Amino acid sequence: MRRAGERRETARLWAGLTPDGPLPSRAVRRGTVAALALALPVAVSVAVLLPATGLALAR
């Protein structure tokens, strides 16, 4: 009974925060995947190019 009450309260609080209710978990996962898909190539490029640039400047 306590969990059911907590779930109702959580749903009520989320409904107050967002106009359409809580975000579905699938949408959150898609956002995370999209952020990683954009950030990972940038991070790898920086990790590869930054030391290469440092070595070129040291010569």
Side-chain angles (χ1 to χ4, degrees):
M1 284 189 121
R2 183 183 296 175
R3 283 191 183 169
E6 289 174 355
R7 287 183 184 142
R8 282 192 300 272
E9 181 181 0
T10 301
R12 182 182 55 82
L13 292 172
W14 272 109
L17 291 175
T18 57
D20 297 327
L23 294 173
S25 60
R26 175 173 272 170
V28 173
R29 279 189 239 133
R30 282 187 188 161
T32 303
V33 169
L36 286 175
L38 293 174
L40 190 60
V42 172
V44 169
S45 298
V46 169
V48 169
L49 294 176
L50 193 61
T53 305
L55 291 175
L57 295 175
R59 289 184 182 174

